[in-house]
Every structure is written in structure tokens, then in C-alpha cells.
Amino acid sequence: MTRTAPTTPAPASVPEPSAVPGKGASASRDPGPARIALRRFLRHRLAVAGVLVLLALAVGCFGATWLAPSPRNAQDLLLGATPPSGAHLLGTDELGRDYLSEVLYAGRISLAIGLGVAVLSTTLGTVVGCVAGYFGGWVDEVTMRVADLFLVVPAIALLALAIQGLGSSPVTIVLVLAGLGWTVIARVVRAQVLSLREKEYVEAARVLGVPTVRILWRHLLPNLVGVVVVNVSLSVAAAVILESTLSFLGFGVQPPRSSWGNMLSQASGMVGTSQSYLLYAPGAAILLTVLAVNFVGDGLRDAFDPQGRH
Amino acid sequence: MVTYIARRLVYSVPVLALASFVLFWAVRTTFDPLAKLRQSHDPTVLARETARLGLNRSVIEQYGLWMKAFLTGDWGTSTRTGGAVSAMIGSALGSTLQLIGWGVLFAALLALAIGLYSAARQYSAGDYAFTALSYLGIAMPPFWVGLLLIQILAVWPQQQFHLAHPPLYFVGLHSPGHSGPDLDYFRHLVLPVLTMTVGLVASWSRFSRATLLESLTGDYVRTARAKGVPRRQILVRHALRNSLAPFVTVVAMDAALLFGGLVVTEQIYSVPGMGRLFLDSMLAGDVFTLVPWMFVVAVAMILFNLLADIGYALLDPRVALR
């Protein structure tokens, strides 16, 4: 099963390996929803491959202190720029730094920003969407109109302006990207909560006098796990690409800190020169990360799809 | 229809007003319009300019003054170039519209062709290949695509075959001395258009494939098949026509984002469009260009979203706009 098109209906005839007739049918042996999701996810081969690639990237980047061939920023000015070779797998840059090590160290910031933005914007969007959808009325009206404002203004302009005003430390970049990214998931969550709050069990909870916060937490949130988890993965991909784009334009991570985006930005001057090999590695790292994250997202979507096969 | 359009336009006025105020405030707090004059030794210059620009008043008053001038056609002067902002935005809009026009046309036709192929031969090797390519297209940062294209399509052939000029140019839209749609223009156009279309084709072809497959499940398709209508005709006459409405909507909505969203493409290829103008104004702290720029882009976005909805209604007679 490698079909991963977002809206293609999955063929319904593939037999579930565990659905052995006669067994598993009794209620006591029913696996929990988490087990079902995990099992479905593991069947999605590309998604599992995505997880492995991400794990490898994370270990390589965050363990760069031990794993990288050279220490950070170790220059060899006499060596200068050399193309990829046995001694330096990805070559060296004009300061004679081992490019593989540089890519690994830069990945720390890129991956951290991607993950930070995804978690923060999804949390923010989920809370806002829950509140707007559950309470309705003016709360809903105000938050959704604010979200609409973001549709009118080009994102890259807003981001550049915000970073220019607030500074470009990695923490600020995370905050700014999350401040823009929450609207997508907020809309989705709001739409779901609008229908969920009319369900009988929510009404029953309300009649029984369950506090609102507990209703949101215990009765609504578990239904949203699917969309929320999928959104985290998609936002990681979007954030990694946005960060690199901002860095390329000069509004992202600034030297001496390095990210894949700002490595590419420095390599962009090498187009057409003998050092054009510097262009490939950081871009390929971004490509690999985003590809892996998107596959994981597809796997998660299938795993949590309530219409899917159990 | 007319009442619908009128109502949508009226609704967008408060949105525009609020958005432009927030942006005005954000730009004014980020940049100091008088930064260039701060080093001046003559304190009266600063005071005179402050009074002339109304900088000693509250932000709301300043916004009101700016809006009044803006609506009466006085868009101010750029502190970066000293030229009229309206003329700068006008010429930038011209370049950007050329890119959007060619890029959207090319990307939409290509995406539709890929979608038709993939829907007609679902789960074939070609379908899988296009799926894989679309995943790659979505996962590549747009500026990296641009740099790679320059390297592969312009620089490499020039070096390999020792040409005097690269086969495709990557600076601007015309060589000096050229104008109009001649060969020179198209040699400039290919790379930026390809760069912007990679991402668009990747997502639009997925979308057209999905909508085509969905309309192929309709009852009318089964009826047509039962009547013995040829496959090709079913695909084009029945499925394509029904999936065109959502496709055009998505295309128009994405095209709206391109007005301010071509920053990367224009920066890489030095196209003097809206994105370039934005970057230059940002780096120079040119507040008098930035605020009208954002306003124009916001208006373009609202108009294109409206066009998307109208297009949907025109292509799908079941949808009535009220």
C-alpha cells in the first residue's frame, strides 16, 4: 500500500490481517483506539520509512557533537573549497570547513524550528478553534474575523515585517511563524467542534453538570486527536520550508548561527562557479525532511481516519 | 449575481480597512520614516519633516490622513528612490502580472493534463511516477528549485557547449535594447515560469486527479458508460467538465497568493515585480512604499477570491450566488 493521494478513497477490499473470523470479535479482546491507530500506521510502509528517516536525521543533527566528522566551524583555510571526496564526503566550503559537519550542525536549528513551530501553532490553533467552536457567539465571530485578516495579507510579507521588527533569533522566528500558522488548524478544529458539541454525549455531560473545561478536555479533544496530529506533521514541513525561504531572503537565521536555509542562501552565490556542489546538500536535507514528514502525515491521516477500516 | 458581487465588495471594505490599519501601525512601529534625517545636524529639518508628515499625531490620525491621501490618488514619494510610489507599484504590478499570467496558464494546463492522464490510468506506472514527482515538487523549497534550474538549464549548457550566452537567461525580463514579446523575452521567461510552476503543478495535478476520480464515480458517468459512450468522451465531456469548477476555484485562489508571493522567484531572477519591490523597500525601511504595497496586494487577493467564487458559479450551474 503505497498509495498516498490525499483524497483518493482507499480500496476497501484489503483484508485486515488481524480480523480473523471467530477470534477478535469478542468485546474483551477489542484493541483500544491507540492500538488500532498504531497498527494501521505501521502498515503504511512509506510512513514508517519517513519515521526512520526523521529519526536518522534527528540523531545525526542533534548528536552532531559526537557523530560529525569534524568539530563545528573547524576551518582549514589552506585547504579551501574542495569538491566531495573520500576525506570530505560533501566537500568543503571556501573556509575549508567539512560541509557534512556543517549541514549536520545547521540541521539542529532547522529541525528545532520546524518542530517548535508545529507544536506551538497546533496547540494555539486547537485551543482557539475549540473555544471559538464551543462557545460560539461573539467569541467565535472575533477569532474567526482575526483569522480572516491573515488571508488578505501575503504571509511572506507579514513574516518578514514581523521578524524585522522583533529580531531574528530562532526563538522569535518560532513565535512569529507560529503566530501566523495557527489559523489553519483553528478553522478545522472549530468546524469539528461545531458538530461535536451537538452530540448527545456532550449534551448529557452538560446536563450532568460537568465543568466546561472538563467537557472540552475529556469529551471533545479525544475526537480531535486525528486532525491535530496530522496538522503537527504538515506544519513541520511548512515551517522548515518557510524558515529556509526567509533565511534565503535575509530575514531568517543570521550568521554565525546556521540553518539549512542560510547555508543555501550563502551557497546561492556559487551558482555557475566551481563551488556549485555546495548548493546540493542543504537543499537535499530540506527535501528529505519535508518528504519524510509528509509521508508520516499521510500515514497518520490514514491511521486516525474514522471512516477507515478497523 | 450583480447583488452578490456588490455585497461581497461591500463586505470586503471593513476587512480591508482593518487589515490596512493593522499593517499601517505595524509598519510605522517597525520603521522610522525619518531614519535618514536623524543624522542631520540641522534640528529644524527634523522638526519640519515631522510636522509635514504628521508624525507628531496619534497613529489613528496618521492613518486617517494617509488613507485620505491614498484614496484621492496621492500615494506619496518613496524615501528610497525619490520617485512616485504609485508609478513604482504600477510598473512592478506589470512585471508580476506577466509572470502570474504565463505561470498560471502553463501550470494549470500541465496540471490538468497530468490529472487527466492519472485519472484515466489510475494506479498505472505513469500515475505512480506523477505521484512521486508531485511529492518531490511539494517538498522542494521554491528558491532551491530556482537555483538548481539556473545551474542545470542555463549555466551547465553554456559551460558544456562553450556558448557566448546561456540558452536561457536568468536576469530580468528583457535584455538591454529589447522590449515586447520577442524571442529574447521568452528566453528570459522560461526559468522564472518553470520555478514558480513546480510547486503549483505538483499540488494542482493532485487536486485535478482527485476531483476527476471523484466525478468519475457519479451516476451520470455510469449511465453514459451503459449507453456505450467511449471512455475518452466520458472523461472529457462528463468528468472533466464537472471537475473544472473546483479546479478553477483552486487555481484562482492560489493565483491570488502570487501577487505578493513571488518574492523568491523575482529575487532569484531579478524581475522588477511586486516581490522585488517589497524586498527593496523592506531593506531600505521605505515605509511610504510598504503600506500602499500591502494595500494593493490585499485588494488583489480579495478580487481574485471573488473571481474564484464567480468562476465556480459560471462553470457549475447548480451553484447559485445570492
Side-chain angles (χ1 to χ4, degrees):
Chain A
M1 259 289 288
T2 51
R3 291 248 27 84
T4 38
T7 42
T8 313
S13 56
V14 179
E16 167 76 41
S18 68
V20 186
K23 287 185 172 179
S26 62
S28 61
R29 303 203 48 189
D30 232 14
R35 291 289 297 276
I36 294 176
L38 181 67
R39 216 163 51 198
R40 284 205 220 158
F41 183 82
L42 289 178
R43 243 194 357 245
H44 201 302
R45 268 181 281 155
L46 280 173
V48 175
V51 169
L52 294 179
V53 166
L54 285 180
L55 274 179
L57 277 169
V59 168
C61 293
F62 291 102
T65 319
W66 303 280
L67 293 173
S70 318
R72 174 144 211 212
N73 216 356
Q75 303 182 0
D76 186 349
L77 293 171
L78 287 176
L79 181 66
T82 53
S85 64
H88 299 282
L89 289 177
L90 297 177
T92 53
D93 65 7
E94 67 278 12
L95 297 176
R97 292 178 294 191
D98 179 61
Y99 212 50
L100 173 62
S101 311
E102 293 300 303
V103 168
L104 289 179
Y105 279 106
R108 293 178 165 185
I109 290 193
S110 292
L111 292 178
I113 288 182
L115 202 62
V117 171
V119 170
L120 202 61
S121 70
T122 306
T123 312
L124 188 65
T126 307
V127 170
V128 170
C130 267
V131 170
Y134 190 77
F135 293 104
W138 67 268
V139 183
D140 185 28
E141 198 61 33
V142 168
T143 44
M144 284 304 113
R145 289 297 82 79
V146 170
D148 282 349
L149 279 187
F150 286 95
L151 284 181
V152 189
V153 192
I156 202 93
L158 213 55
L159 292 172
L161 189 65
I163 288 170
Q164 182 86 18
L166 302 171
S168 57
S169 76
V171 176
T172 322
I173 292 175
V174 168
L175 292 177
V176 168
L177 287 179
L180 199 82
W182 62 271
T183 53
V184 183
I185 182 69
R187 270 174 227 281
V188 177
V189 165
R190 171 182 171 271
Q192 298 234 335
V193 170
L194 277 181
S195 81
L196 286 173
R197 72 168 181 193
E198 307 297 336
K199 291 271 188 316
E200 284 88 352
Y201 64 88
V202 176
E203 209 164 320
R206 222 170 339 197
V207 171
L208 285 171
V210 178
T212 308
V213 174
R214 201 177 149 76
I215 293 182
L216 287 172
W217 185 255
R218 287 286 302 161
H219 299 283
L220 294 184
L221 215 53
N223 286 295
L224 300 170
V225 168
V227 286
V228 167
V229 169
V230 170
N231 187 73
V232 170
S233 70
L234 295 183
S235 337
V236 170
V240 168
I241 286 196
L242 260 181
E243 182 277 318
S244 69
T245 307
L246 283 171
S247 293
F248 172 72
L249 295 174
F251 296 102
V253 176
Q254 305 290 330
R257 284 203 186 89
S258 65
S259 70
W260 290 331
N262 100 11
M263 286 181 81
L264 269 181
S265 157
Q266 280 162 25
S268 66
M270 305 300 170
V271 170
T273 69
S274 58
Q275 291 175 45
S276 56
Y277 61 87
L278 293 176
L279 269 177
Y280 304 119
I286 297 175
L287 176 68
L288 203 59
T289 309
V290 175
L291 215 52
V293 166
N294 281 340
F295 284 139
V296 173
D298 283 341
L300 288 172
R301 198 197 322 259
D302 290 353
F304 285 106
D305 184 5
Q307 257 88 54
R309 299 143 282 140
H310 280 257
Chain B
M1 177 74 101
V2 177
T3 38
Y4 171 80
I5 296 173
R7 213 185 41 197
R8 280 281 298 267
L9 288 177
V10 170
Y11 273 153
S12 58
V13 169
V15 175
L16 260 181
L18 193 57
S20 63
F21 174 70
V22 173
L23 289 170
F24 184 88
W25 172 81
V27 170
R28 280 294 158 95
T29 45
T30 307
F31 297 105
D32 176 10
L34 299 177
K36 272 189 185 166
L37 299 173
R38 294 274 178 222
Q39 288 93 10
S40 162
H41 296 296
D42 186 359
T44 56
V45 175
L46 208 60
R48 200 182 62 221
E49 280 298 296
T50 307
R52 188 179 71 81
L53 298 170
L55 296 180
N56 43 6
R57 307 190 198 200
S58 72
V59 178
I60 298 179
E61 275 180 284
Q62 287 185 44
Y63 172 73
L65 285 174
W66 172 79
M67 186 51 109
K68 208 173 127 197
F70 182 81
L71 290 178
T72 52
D74 175 15
W75 290 18
T77 324
S78 158
T79 52
R80 180 172 61 91
T81 64
V85 170
S86 49
M88 285 164 59
I89 289 186
S91 86
L93 208 52
S95 297
T96 295
L97 276 173
Q98 292 178 42
L99 285 187
I100 293 180
W102 291 114
V104 168
L105 185 72
F106 178 65
L109 290 179
L110 192 58
L112 216 49
I114 294 175
L116 271 173
Y117 174 87
S118 300
R121 298 203 166 75
Q122 198 186 359
Y123 301 138
S124 68
D127 181 24
Y128 279 114
F130 282 127
T131 305
L133 282 178
S134 75
Y135 268 95
L136 283 179
I138 290 171
M140 289 206 275
F143 66 94
W144 193 50
V145 174
L147 297 172
L148 291 184
L149 285 176
I150 293 181
Q151 178 72 30
I152 296 166
L153 294 181
V155 173
W156 182 81
Q158 187 187 9
Q159 288 173 347
Q160 196 70 17
F161 304 111
H162 307 289
L163 306 172
H165 297 285
L168 298 166
Y169 295 121
F170 47 91
V171 179
L173 285 178
H174 296 285
S175 301
H178 287 266
S179 65
D182 54 359
L183 181 66
D184 174 75
Y185 174 64
F186 287 102
R187 276 170 80 178
H188 279 91
L189 210 52
V190 172
L191 285 175
V193 164
L194 274 183
T195 303
M196 62 187 277
T197 51
V198 166
L200 294 179
V201 171
S203 68
W204 290 352
S205 63
R206 302 310 297 155
F207 187 77
S208 76
R209 176 185 183 273
T211 48
L212 275 168
L213 284 174
E214 199 179 310
S215 37
L216 277 176
T217 61
D219 292 337
Y220 52 89
V221 168
R222 198 173 40 189
T223 310
R225 207 167 275 160
K227 285 197 308 187
V229 180
R231 258 188 80 79
R232 173 178 295 264
Q233 206 175 336
I234 291 180
L235 201 65
V236 175
R237 280 265 187 82
H238 298 269
L240 181 64
R241 271 192 73 170
N242 274 288
S243 69
L244 217 50
F247 184 73
V248 168
T249 310
V250 166
V251 166
M253 281 165 64
D254 284 351
L257 293 175
L258 295 177
F259 273 94
L262 287 177
V263 180
V264 167
T265 312
E266 292 176 1
Q267 172 72 7
I268 294 175
Y269 296 105
S270 314
V271 176
M274 291 294 274
R276 223 9 225 270
L277 180 62
F278 172 78
L279 270 187
D280 291 343
S281 307
M282 276 294 287
L283 294 176
D286 185 357
V287 293
F288 301 108
T289 310
L290 281 176
V291 178
W293 184 92
M294 294 193 178
F295 197 89
V296 168
V297 170
V299 169
M301 295 243 237
I302 288 176
L303 284 182
F304 261 69
N305 281 319
L306 179 60
L307 271 181
D309 289 347
I310 295 172
Y312 198 104
L314 288 179
L315 286 168
D316 190 343
R318 287 169 299 187
V319 176
L321 298 179
R322 256 168 278 149

